[in-house]
Amino acid sequence: MPDPDLGPVVIGEDLVQRLRETMGVLPDQEADQLMERYNLSAKDALALMLLDGGARIQYFYHVLDSLEERLAADGQAIPEGAEHATLAANWCLHELGKLTDSASSSSSSSSDPDLLQGLAMSPLGESPLVPSSSLAAILHHLHSRTITAKVAKDLLWAVYRGEISSGEITNYIDTHGLWFKELPEEEYAKLADEIIQGEEKVLGEFLRWKQGKMKAYPQGKLMYLVGKMMRGGPEGRVEAAGAERVLRRRIEGVYLPELEKGE
């Protein structure tokens, strides 16, 4: 019940509005935005917000801003919540996590005091070991498909180890001949024909799907064949999306018709 010795407390709308304008985005709201805009799971969104005492999410925003500046300089339109933002979020969370986990594991089993641990992330979301501009440069080339994912990961490690200084990503790729030179379409098709040999059982899965005997497309089997193509092709010249595209076309247009004739 009301205390007779205390006067009523009246909170003015001007104070409420002032607090609303100065408090910034609340944690639940920010998590929702990360999930809706960048297609992150709730677990990943919360991890991104909590890592490095809350600095990792600021690091992500720095990476995203730098990446979008580079894409805009290429003349690319930047729709909100596009694929490039999801790519940046996943790398800021998972690839940086793999990098620091691996370094910590190595240092725990070694007496070398120079082995790196952590990202030395500042409260404002910058890392002297992996500057946000360096990661943005790597992701710019990866998103533009001028380097492969493997090269991108190798570059990230080189930055972390201090082998590539800030602003030198493109020069390093050029100097070491790391640009992605994708196979032409006819060589993709030839490679697909080579790796499909002996895979009649796998092709049978696609045939059963085509005949309506399976509800779901055998995507797992397709990615197994993509993996064979990437391992069997020239190093650094087979791109997963290109291999998948060619395999889909040849499975539906060449391999399955041949299999049906033999039935």
Side-chain angles (χ1 to χ4, degrees):
M1 59 184 295
D3 190 321
D5 296 327
L6 296 177
V9 177
V10 179
I11 300 175
E13 183 59 32
D14 56 338
L15 176 59
V16 173
Q17 185 62 29
R18 171 74 175 166
L19 292 173
R20 185 179 289 119
E21 292 172 354
T22 57
M23 282 182 65
V25 180
L26 296 175
D28 286 350
Q29 184 181 359
E30 186 166 30
D32 289 342
Q33 290 175 354
L34 289 169
M35 289 186 285
E36 292 171 7
R37 291 183 184 177
Y38 310 129
N39 199 31
L40 296 182
S41 66
K43 180 180 178 181
D44 284 353
L46 290 174
L48 199 57
M49 293 168 59
L50 294 174
L51 282 171
D52 301 311
R56 187 73 65 93
I57 187 66
Q58 298 304 319
Y59 179 86
F60 160 68
Y61 292 134
H62 293 324
V63 171
L64 184 58
D65 288 345
S66 181
L67 175 58
E68 291 187 343
E69 287 176 7
R70 295 166 191 272
L71 294 174
D74 290 344
Q76 298 188 39
I78 312 296
E80 184 176 346
E83 181 184 349
H84 71 280
T86 305
L87 178 70
N90 284 326
W91 273 66
C92 287
L93 181 60
H94 300 295
E95 296 306 326
L96 288 184
K98 292 176 187 176
L99 187 140
T100 53
D101 288 348
S102 179
S104 296
S105 175
S106 298
S107 65
S108 65
S109 59
S110 171
S111 59
D112 185 352
D114 294 327
L115 282 171
L116 299 172
Q117 294 191 59
L119 293 167
M121 192 76 72
S122 76
L124 296 178
E126 261 305 345
S127 167
L129 300 177
V130 184
S132 60
S133 58
S134 294
L135 180 54
I138 294 171
L139 296 181
H140 172 228
H141 291 303
L142 180 60
H143 182 267
S144 302
R145 296 181 60 198
T146 53
I147 61 173
T148 64
K150 180 182 182 302
V151 167
K153 292 174 184 179
D154 290 343
L155 289 171
L156 181 62
W157 261 109
V159 170
Y160 186 59
R161 289 171 173 151
E163 298 168 9
I164 308 176
S165 57
S166 181
E168 291 297 317
I169 298 294
T170 301
N171 289 339
Y172 187 92
I173 295 170
D174 207 23
T175 302
H176 291 77
L178 300 176
W179 296 114
F180 176 47
K181 303 178 181 68
E182 189 170 9
L183 288 176
E185 200 80 358
E186 59 272 16
E187 291 191 36
Y188 264 125
K190 182 179 177 182
L191 181 59
D193 293 345
E194 291 174 359
I195 65 95
I196 207 67
Q197 298 301 315
E199 296 292 355
E200 289 78 10
K201 185 175 179 180
V202 172
L203 287 175
E205 298 267 340
F206 291 94
L207 184 59
R208 284 193 289 277
W209 173 79
K210 183 180 179 182
Q211 294 171 340
K213 297 177 181 179
M214 291 173 58
K215 292 183 178 180
Y217 183 81
Q219 183 68 21
K221 299 298 183 183
L222 179 65
M223 298 315 295
Y224 158 74
L225 295 175
V226 168
K228 283 191 68 176
M229 282 187 68
M230 296 188 72
R231 292 189 297 273
E235 186 175 358
R237 297 197 62 196
V238 180
E239 200 261 340
E244 182 178 353
R245 182 186 66 251
V246 171
L247 270 171
R248 279 182 179 273
R249 187 167 62 246
R250 293 195 70 74
I251 287 172
E252 295 169 8
V254 179
Y255 307 142
L256 292 188
E258 289 179 353
L259 201 59
E260 288 172 318
K261 288 179 183 178
E263 285 192 334

